[in-house]
Amino acid sequence: MDVAVLGAGIVGSSVAAHLAMRGVRTALIDRREPGRETSFGNAGLIEPSGVVPLGFPRDPAVLVKAVLGTLPQVNLHLSALPALAPFLWRYWRQSSQAGRRRSAAALFPLLSRAVAAHRELLDKAGAGHLLHPTGFYRLYRSPRTFEHHFAFESQVEASYGFSYQIMSPDEVAAREPAIRPVYHKAVWWKDSVAVRSPGEAVTAIAGLAARQGAALLRGDARTLSRSGGGFRVETAEGEVEADTVVVALGPWSTDLTEQFGLRLPFAVKRGYHMHFEPGGGAMLTTPLVDIDGGYFLAPMPRGLRLTTGVEFARRDAPPTPVQIARTRPMASELVPLGAALDPEPWLGRRPCLPDSLPVIGRLKRAENVVLAFGHQHLGLTMGPITGRLVADIITGAAPVVDPEPYRPERFA
């Protein structure tokens, strides 16, 4: 093969599709079927307006509540603090308004092209029906939350030209009767596109890669080894040799990058989801995020998906889905939720760097290693456009966006 892409989530599958469409001999390798890990359990939203990254709390009172476990948005494993401390310190420093503005400027080139990049791949994959241009709502339960959030985050996002509308509960109810008027204000961000069944979308993109000639293989990326001037990976179908390797393993990516001498201030933000029956026949069509509750609610084929905020923990620690229990009553106040449809909450792991930017580009120490991970809360959004950018880097084409802000060695 010319290229072995390790990881068949939204990023790796998009990389493989773009390479295969350009005639590059590509193998897409994962230990599971495409789209079964982090890309499976997200809120299902392409959010181009999300340029301002989620910041680490800087209010001491909020930090105390987070440590005490009284915030619905955050859960913290105290036992993980020693390992997480270096990342959290850098994340806290990057979470100033100036730092978040810098990250917004770097994210905008990717996010502004995100919807078109999704449409390109999903239309070619015959799965364009999964895209629903509904936008999404941010709901604010109190005037203080609305004014605080709108004074910075929303104003920065609006400055990039994204379309929004401030709405009263009655105005929202006229469009979306399922949402009860138990909040102060809503902001309808109109440029976002809902993805019904994100896992199915990833499967479709991986299928497109296969139809274009890529080999979809089962294998463990940890078997990666040098082979002459290239690499060798063991798969269920036999050994694969490739000139170039793309590391798109999401939260597991640093298991490999450290082999190449690159140490990153990396952590995962864990999150959970669970599906519920719509209560009382409530038919939600537009996804929403409750800013005060820190959870997302989105219609999916299986039911209403409740997606939690952030859990700071070791990547492989046992699940502790307390945020589902904390946020379910809050969500039921807004939209009636019926019976749980899953036997237990699903656990996912968001790969994050402290500046909230992905790592995209060639390694200086190993030019035939290309990295593509660390998309934090916006992995689904940025997957296809990252795939195109990585294909540009590998084939020597003019890059769709300047990759300099995402260079792997920026933390050195």
Side-chain angles (χ1 to χ4, degrees):
M1 295 290 175
D2 297 318
V3 180
V5 181
L6 304 181
I10 183 67
V11 175
S13 295
S14 297
V15 170
H18 275 286
L19 288 172
M21 287 191 294
R22 302 184 192 193
V24 177
R25 295 177 303 163
T26 304
L28 178 61
I29 302 171
D30 201 303
R31 62 186 179 183
R32 301 184 66 186
E33 293 291 332
R36 297 298 98 186
E37 293 285 2
T38 306
S39 299
F40 178 79
N42 53 71
L45 190 70
I46 307 168
E47 189 185 353
S49 59
V51 291
V52 180
L54 184 67
F56 191 82
R58 300 175 75 84
D59 183 336
V62 175
L63 287 173
V64 170
K65 290 179 181 179
V67 171
L68 295 176
T70 60
L71 288 179
Q73 299 96 327
V74 180
N75 189 45
L76 173 66
H77 286 196
L78 293 177
S79 61
L81 271 180
L84 291 172
F87 168 82
L88 293 177
W89 170 242
R90 297 186 74 155
Y91 184 30
W92 181 84
R93 292 180 61 191
Q94 291 279 348
S95 293
S96 66
Q97 288 193 2
R100 294 167 78 193
R101 284 184 184 275
R102 288 193 296 271
S103 294
L107 286 169
F108 176 73
L110 293 173
L111 293 180
S112 60
R113 295 167 171 83
V115 172
H118 271 269
R119 289 199 180 279
E120 177 190 6
L121 291 184
L122 287 175
D123 283 347
K124 289 180 179 178
H129 62 280
L130 296 175
L131 300 178
H132 296 258
T134 59
F136 81 107
Y137 295 117
R138 287 188 183 137
L139 304 183
Y140 303 86
R141 291 179 178 255
S142 71
R144 180 182 178 278
T145 306
F146 173 74
E147 291 161 7
H148 176 78
H149 199 270
F150 210 84
F152 177 67
E153 286 91 343
S154 297
Q155 288 298 332
V156 173
E157 291 164 348
S159 72
Y160 284 95
F162 297 111
S163 179
Y164 71 95
Q165 179 181 343
I166 300 173
M167 303 177 73
S168 69
D170 289 341
E171 290 172 322
V172 171
R175 291 192 72 251
E176 201 78 46
I179 303 176
R180 292 167 170 161
V182 295
Y183 56 94
H184 171 62
K185 290 283 187 184
V187 179
W188 178 25
W189 291 93
K190 301 180 180 181
D191 296 307
S192 296
V193 174
V195 181
R196 300 290 192 260
S197 187
E200 186 179 349
V202 179
T203 299
I205 292 172
L208 170 65
R211 289 197 299 276
Q212 295 292 324
L216 271 58
L217 306 173
R218 290 285 191 97
D220 189 335
R222 292 172 296 184
T223 64
L224 181 72
S225 62
R226 289 283 190 178
S227 177
F231 298 93
R232 178 185 293 113
V233 184
E234 296 177 13
T235 76
E237 291 81 1
E239 288 188 344
V240 172
E241 293 192 353
D243 301 324
T244 297
V245 65
V246 176
V247 179
L249 293 163
W252 296 277
S253 296
T254 53
D255 291 354
L256 287 190
T257 58
E258 292 185 2
Q259 296 181 22
F260 301 109
L262 179 69
R263 295 186 64 85
L264 294 168
F266 180 83
V268 300
K269 297 179 185 177
R270 305 202 320 176
Y272 300 83
H273 85 232
M274 198 164 191
H275 295 95
F276 296 90
E277 290 182 351
M283 298 299 294
L284 183 68
T285 60
T286 303
L288 65 87
V289 59
D290 180 345
I291 296 298
D292 296 82
Y295 64 85
F296 205 96
L297 199 61
M300 297 282 173
R302 182 164 172 75
L304 295 178
R305 177 180 289 184
L306 174 64
T307 305
T308 68
V310 173
E311 180 177 74
F312 289 109
R314 292 182 181 273
R315 183 188 66 190
D316 300 323
T320 53
V322 296
Q323 289 167 285
I324 293 288
R326 292 175 189 169
T327 56
R328 180 179 178 180
M330 301 179 71
S332 293
E333 289 178 352
L334 280 172
V335 178
L337 298 183
L341 297 173
D342 302 322
E344 59 185 10
W346 182 91
L347 167 63
R349 302 160 178 87
R350 308 172 182 105
C352 300
L353 283 305
D355 59 2
S356 298
L357 302 180
V359 168
I360 305 173
R362 293 185 183 275
L363 275 178
K364 286 185 177 179
R365 297 183 181 184
E367 284 287 309
N368 54 350
V369 176
V370 181
L371 307 185
F373 63 89
H375 295 75
Q376 37 108 5
H377 295 260
L378 297 170
L380 180 71
T381 296
M382 292 191 280
I385 189 61
T386 297
R388 179 176 172 185
L389 176 57
V390 170
D392 291 340
I393 291 170
I394 289 174
T395 62
V400 62
V401 301
D402 181 4
E404 176 66 16
Y406 326 117
R407 65 191 184 281
E409 289 83 8
R410 67 182 185 269
F411 295 104

